[in-house]
Amino acid sequence: MTEPLTVSDVQAMLDGSPFIRGCGMKVVGLDAQALEIAVSMTMRPEFERRAGTGQWHGGPIAALIDTAGDYALALHAGGPVPTINFRTDYLRPAVDTSLTATARVRRAGRTVGLVDIDVTDDAGRLVAVGRGTYGTTAG
Amino acid sequence: MTEPLTVSDVQAMLDGSPFIRGCGMKVVGLDAQALEIAVSMTMRPEFERRAGTGQWHGGPIAALIDTAGDYALALHAGGPVPTINFRTDYLRPAVDTSLTATARVRRAGRTVGLVDIDVTDDAGRLVAVGRGTYGTTAG
Amino acid sequence: MTEPLTVSDVQAMLDGSPFIRGCGMKVVGLDAQALEIAVSMTMRPEFERRAGTGQWHGGPIAALIDTAGDYALALHAGGPVPTINFRTDYLRPAVDTSLTATARVRRAGRTVGLVDIDVTDDAGRLVAVGRGTYGTTAG
Amino acid sequence: MTEPLTVSDVQAMLDGSPFIRGCGMKVVGLDAQALEIAVSMTMRPEFERRAGTGQWHGGPIAALIDTAGDYALALHAGGPVPTINFRTDYLRPAVDTSLTATARVRRAGRTVGLVDIDVTDDAGRLVAVGRGTYGTTAG
């Protein structure tokens, strides 16, 4: 039995990935028992869909969903797991706001697991949802 | 009846998006009749999954899939369209390679359309596939 | 402003579909305000994956998911809506049990809506989940 | 090294499933080398969306997609495999027609595989597409 991962453990793992660190993703909460994690990302001009609009492009939202889902299962596996596939649904434009992805493991099986991810804006509105299948062994 | 979009038309649209331009995505081929487009992206250290591995993180691959799918329908709509949802499946690690996403419209309906996207590496191996639902009106 | 649909209204709509009626799907609860509905289905030998096992084949589970999702949005649209696409994830075998699909609208937009569907067995275990995009106009 | 499966081998497997046999699914072609299979299904009144319309309900179409995808991987695994998840997109109404699902393995990995499935009507029009993740070990 190993110790449950803490916010700083997971943040260190995120920061070990040049892509994730470059996006500025931050762990803002986790529940190691419930296999839930919250990851935030702040708007930057380079994430804009069109210049000067303040609207997020879908690409960084999908990356946030994939990452939050992965690290929810990392709470189970002890480290990041391979993404097998994920679905992203965009529900509302996200404009002039940071984003928080809350990921919750629905099932962690022997070889694969399923995670649901909700993305909300600063006003708590749901802007996108994700659902992903991941391996359940870190590596 | 408007003129079919050319590679340079679509490249100009891509470059109008700070996110897409920042990722360095390039249109490398299109067939305006068949509603097919190919978009490439070159590896950079900031796209790495882990430092020094040369392996693409899934985030930029998903962004490439979403964008290629969107601009395949742009050939139909005359400009970029809203992504409703898309599914990304990762099939093999992509290491030390650029990536090319080839997107093909399977159906362009009155309000929504479906696009399939295959992502290959420099050796022509399939590394990921996407399937997305988009609106069919530019805006 | 029309009257909210009741359980018997929706059951009558289900029974108007030869396929759904033939499967024996029953509305067992709804919340017209929250756009949530619960639909149940009883095991029959013709739904078995393999003869004599009592295990549900995935096909009828997918059909239950699609239908429950559709009628959750029917609470919004006043009648069944076209399914655009849906994803089904199987989490555990369902054996010797009836199934209940609980569908909840996550977003009902002008032209499309998104619904999440959880399928549980008689013991309340989650056996499958669905997520679907539907039109939001009945027809 | 075992013998490649033939049409009659796979038909016998289909018929071993009460659900699949009850739907009347028939193997109409396969390529054991390419991991491709074609499965057909004939319209019946009990598959109708609404009585007397001759239009297929989406439920049996999803079941056909799932089954064709499964048996494409069975050509690799030697027998039917567990479905992990699949996505179904409906592209056109299917009316007064039989349906043929053509399934093609895109990737068969050590533990999971991905299959694409196209469903066409008697006129060869694409009415729906599927994409599914399955285990790659029969059982």
Side-chain angles (χ1 to χ4, degrees), chain B residues 21-34:
Chain B
R21 188 182 58 237
C23 288
M25 295 186 200
K26 298 295 174 195
V27 183
V28 293
L30 69 77
D31 181 331
Q33 196 71 30

Side-chain angles (χ1 to χ4, degrees), chain C:
Chain C
M1 185 58 192
T2 56
E3 288 293 300
L5 296 175
T6 64
V7 166
S8 60
D9 291 336
V10 178
Q11 187 64 52
M13 290 175 183
L14 291 179
D15 291 339
S17 166
F19 175 72
I20 296 173
R21 188 183 57 235
C23 288
M25 295 186 200
K26 300 293 172 197
V27 183
V28 293
L30 68 77
D31 181 332
Q33 196 70 31
L35 301 182
E36 292 187 20
I37 195 166
V39 181
S40 284
M41 206 169 155
T42 303
M43 185 62 188
R44 296 180 191 170
E46 65 259 37
F47 297 149
E48 279 187 332
R49 187 173 185 233
R50 295 186 192 175
T53 61
Q55 186 186 342
W56 284 79
H57 188 278
I61 299 176
L64 176 64
I65 283 172
D66 181 14
T67 301
D70 194 314
Y71 283 85
L73 267 172
L75 300 177
H76 171 77
V81 293
T83 307
I84 297 171
N85 62 61
F86 73 110
R87 174 179 167 136
T88 301
D89 287 80
Y90 299 108
L91 304 184
R92 286 181 185 83
V95 183
D96 290 330
T97 181
S98 60
L99 296 178
T100 300
T102 304
R104 181 165 61 109
V105 175
R106 304 298 305 274
R107 172 82 172 128
R110 199 172 48 81
T111 58
V112 301
L114 187 76
V115 187
D116 274 354
I117 305 101
D118 281 3
V119 180
T120 51
D121 65 14
D122 288 337
R125 275 186 302 253
L126 192 65
V127 300
V129 294
R131 174 165 286 172
T133 302
Y134 300 83
T136 47
T137 307

Side-chain angles (χ1 to χ4, degrees), chain D residues 108-134:
Chain D
R110 198 172 49 80
T111 57
V112 300
L114 187 76
V115 187
D116 273 355
I117 306 101
D118 280 3
V119 180
T120 51
D121 64 14
D122 288 337
R125 274 185 303 253
L126 192 65
V127 300
V129 295
R131 174 165 285 172
T133 301
Y134 300 83

Side-chain angles (χ1 to χ4, degrees), chain A residues 76-77 79-82 110-111 134-139:
Chain A
H76 170 77
V81 293
R110 198 172 48 81
T111 57
Y134 300 83
T136 46
T137 306

Side-chain angles (χ1 to χ4, degrees), chain B residues 108-128:
Chain B
R110 198 172 51 80
T111 57
V112 301
L114 186 76
V115 187
D116 274 355
I117 305 101
D118 282 2
V119 180
T120 51
D121 64 14
D122 287 338
R125 275 185 303 252
L126 192 66
V127 300

